[in-house]
Amino acid sequence: MASASTPLSKAVALKAFGHKSAVGPRTVAVVAVVAVLFPLAWVIRVAARPTEAYVRNPNGIGGGFTLGNFASAWREGLLGPALLHTLYTVPLGAVLATVVAAFAGYGFAKLRVPFRRFLLGFVIMAIAIPIPSIIIPLFNEGLDIGYTNNYIGLSIVCAALYGSWGTFFLYGQYKGLPDALIDSAHMDGAHELGIFFRIAVPLVAPSIATVLALNFILQWSNILLQLVLLPTSTKQTMMVSVSALGGQYTSATPIVAAGYLEAAAPLLLIYALSQRFIRRGMFAGALNE
Amino acid sequence: MMRGRADYPPAPASKDGSPGPRLLGTTAKARVKGRRSAQRRLALQGILFVAPMVALVAGFVAVPLVRVVQLSFTTWTGLGSPRPVGLANYRYLYGWSSFRTVLVNNAILLSGLVLWVLLPFLLATVVYRLRRAALVRTIIFIPTILPPIVVGEVFSIMLAHSGPLNIVLRHLGLGVVARDWLTTPYLVLLSVIWMISWATFGVGVQFFSAALVAIPSSYIEAAQIDGARWSQVVWNIYRPVLRPVMQFWFLVLTISTVTYFFPWIFGLTQGGPGYESTTLDYMVYLTGITNGEYGLGSAISVILLLFLLVLLLIYEAGRRFRRAYG
């Protein structure tokens, strides 16, 4: 609000929060930022320290900088192939989850669906089901049907498990579109599919981008499904390989730290690119409730 | 819900506003019949839109749910077919001391919810009127992007016996507080709560800030001119306005974290020492996947689902109570 910068409000803010109280809001903000950044900065520092310097003094921060740990982690943890394996399954899973959600959300919000309330409730119920609670049958059924050890199989399972919140979120967004818009397109003789692609999807496109970005991040990080449904060592994903690195090289902490940072790096990139959509979606999600 | 859709499809002749010539001759009955078949066609289109999602949920959520309940009454290690054993798995869990440790762990970790909701709430209210509020929120959001196992690794470095936390404590003359954060029973749960607080903090701040923007700053200024303390402003203005967001965030945490500690624990302690940081969902993995005891693991899964159900019922009861008496 504009009034936040008027002299009066500043004076009031100082009076209420600044001079009288022991800790001002600025101090609190600085403490919070330091508390959040310190662990991250420390680990980055550890990953960039030469191993000899780390072994000599694990608690120091000196010893110069090196990128060798990142190369070692990449080589010894076989992170190159692991990255490929992740890329075989996660992007497809994210896209599938987003596409089924985009269709279903529209169907539930704007079309005539028999047993609509029941089916919508059924899909929303799935949001609340924790993955660990069904991981045993998923694993066994996967062995029977053949989606275990199959990249596309994992993508489809992820579409099922991550599509439901997207459906619910996009349902809310489609609901906000005026019916008159869709009715008038009907009058002009447009097909349901044409209306969906030419009117509904463009209007909620930022929300669909939100669903896609969050799906990518969530599925990338989902070690449980990747661990259980891609059990063969030659199909290990980035997450699984990196966690194995920790077990293998307990003494070389800098290398392990470097490996973990490499596993997280693509997500930081995705976040940097889609920050706008992610934050926007969160605002929408929080206010919809 | 279906407002504006009931009269669809528009009469074929209404394009130019006047009844078409063909329709003039038809009886009312025929017209109703035509509309019905059009509606059926429309319903078919609706089904096609939702069918993929519904089928996926049915196949990969609903069927496994039924299956896990069935399996919990059997014993099975993957060879042959599951052998029915009645309640034997549940009876075994009742007498298993490690399982009791796991239940206690889950109960203790549940208390983390207070911290995970209140900390971001308080920070959001303190920070949102600062000039650099957006920058603060952006920085605080960074850890939430990290995969949970990476967060686990970050904290296993931070909280190690001679890690940075203990060093800082010793430097500050608080050496007596320094502990083995990851290998001491109960303390390890505190470490988990703290770690998750660190990793979810930014999302919480984001949610609360979104709702805070809606409060006119004149409210706060008026309260301050009247001499309200900060705590009074928080209690009387921020708390009621942010209650829906608090409930939403509480629900998100319940679904995404409290019943799914697995990746955090896997990254930080792998459930140790012993079972001291093992949670229900981690126990499902250890028993059902690592040890391949599908029947027993399924029984633990069912208890995990019941745990979630109780949480959701308490949440709903609280909401109803508030609506009735609050």
Side-chain angles (χ1 to χ4, degrees), chain B residues 72-246:
Chain B
S72 76
F73 298 110
T74 68
T75 177
W76 188 34
T77 50
L79 297 168
S81 55
R83 190 164 51 83
V85 290
L87 289 171
N89 289 328
Y90 294 96
R91 232 175 279 133
Y92 179 79
L93 289 179
Y94 184 76
W96 190 15
S97 64
S98 302
F99 188 68
R100 224 165 291 163
T101 308
V102 167
L103 286 179
V104 170
N105 290 347
N106 259 62
I108 292 174
L109 289 175
L110 202 55
S111 68
L113 274 172
V114 178
L115 200 66
W116 302 330
V117 172
L118 278 190
L119 268 187
F121 165 75
L122 289 176
L123 188 84
T125 61
V126 168
V127 160
Y128 91 107
R129 302 185 73 206
L130 287 180
R131 202 148 37 88
R132 295 210 175 79
L135 179 68
V136 171
R137 283 199 301 265
T138 306
I139 293 172
I140 286 174
F141 198 81
I142 295 172
T144 66
I145 298 299
L146 301 177
I149 65 157
V150 175
V151 174
E153 175 64 16
V154 168
F155 273 78
S156 68
I157 290 176
M158 293 303 292
L159 303 178
H161 173 72
S162 53
L165 176 69
N166 283 344
I167 295 169
V168 168
L169 286 175
R170 286 193 193 107
H171 269 289
L172 293 175
L174 294 168
V176 279
V177 188
R179 290 283 187 284
D180 281 331
W181 300 101
L182 299 176
T183 51
T184 313
Y186 297 108
L187 267 188
V188 68
L189 295 177
L190 196 68
S191 302
V192 172
I193 291 178
W194 184 20
M195 169 183 69
I196 293 178
S197 184
W198 184 77
T200 59
F201 188 58
V203 180
V205 170
Q206 200 66 36
F207 278 137
F208 287 122
S209 302
L212 277 172
V213 174
I215 303 178
S217 57
S218 57
Y219 281 24
I220 315 290
E221 280 161 22
Q224 285 163 2
I225 288 167
D226 290 345
R229 291 163 187 280
W230 178 72
S231 56
Q232 288 172 316
V233 173
V234 169
W235 187 259
N236 293 313
I237 300 179
Y238 294 139
R239 188 187 54 98
V241 171
L242 295 190
R243 188 183 298 131
V245 182
M246 255 191 215

Side-chain angles (χ1 to χ4, degrees), chain A residues 47-277:
Chain A
R49 275 185 90 192
T51 315
E52 314 82 64
Y54 183 84
V55 171
R56 225 179 304 121
N57 178 14
N59 307 317
I61 52 170
F65 286 87
T66 177
L67 290 177
N69 298 326
F70 290 92
S72 303
W74 190 265
R75 203 176 47 243
E76 292 164 20
L78 299 174
L79 295 189
L83 176 63
L84 269 186
H85 301 157
T86 298
L87 290 177
Y88 288 150
T89 180
V90 169
L92 178 63
V95 168
L96 277 180
T98 308
V99 169
V100 291
F103 273 98
Y106 182 74
F108 283 126
K110 293 293 179 194
L111 297 179
R112 200 173 284 271
V113 177
F115 310 111
R116 199 183 61 97
R117 289 178 73 97
F118 170 77
L119 290 177
L120 183 59
F122 181 67
V123 172
I124 290 174
M125 171 278 300
I127 303 174
I129 302 302
I131 297 173
S133 72
I134 51 172
I135 195 72
I136 292 172
L138 278 178
F139 174 66
N140 283 317
E141 239 104 281
L143 286 177
D144 291 347
I145 304 170
Y147 61 77
T148 298
N149 264 330
N150 184 321
Y151 298 116
I152 297 174
L154 178 58
S155 303
I156 294 172
V157 173
C158 281
L161 299 179
Y162 288 95
S164 46
W165 73 262
T167 303
F168 180 56
F169 175 67
L170 291 177
Y171 165 78
Q173 303 299 310
Y174 289 124
K175 207 86 189 126
L177 301 181
D179 282 328
L181 205 65
I182 289 154
D183 285 339
S184 64
H186 273 300
M187 304 263 192
D188 296 341
H191 286 285
E192 215 63 75
L193 216 54
I195 296 173
F196 173 70
F197 279 118
R198 290 208 202 99
I199 298 174
V201 167
L203 284 174
V204 300
S207 301
I208 292 178
T210 304
V211 173
L212 183 64
L214 282 178
N215 257 302
F216 193 90
I217 290 169
L218 290 174
Q219 294 188 24
W220 183 285
S221 317
N222 191 318
I223 186 166
L224 180 59
L225 283 173
Q226 295 169 5
L227 198 61
V228 174
L229 293 185
L230 291 177
T232 310
S233 59
T234 52
K235 292 192 171 176
Q236 276 181 358
T237 58
M238 194 87 173
M239 283 297 121
V240 178
S241 292
V242 156
S243 68
L245 190 68
Q248 260 173 291
Y249 300 93
T250 34
S251 54
T253 308
I255 294 178
V256 178
Y260 274 93
L261 288 177
E262 283 169 343
L267 293 190
L268 293 174
L269 187 70
I270 292 282
Y271 173 61
L273 294 176
S274 60
Q275 213 215 69
R276 200 159 54 91
F277 297 113

Side-chain angles (χ1 to χ4, degrees), chain B residues 6-22:
Chain B
D7 55 347
Y8 183 79
S14 65
K15 251 181 199 168
D16 54 0
S18 63
R22 197 169 58 82

Side-chain angles (χ1 to χ4, degrees), chain B residues 279-300:
Chain B
T279 54
L280 271 174
D281 56 305
Y282 202 87
M283 197 68 159
V284 171
Y285 173 77
L286 288 180
T287 317
I289 303 295
T290 311
N291 292 350
E293 297 178 61
Y294 301 131
L296 190 61
S298 296
I300 302 171

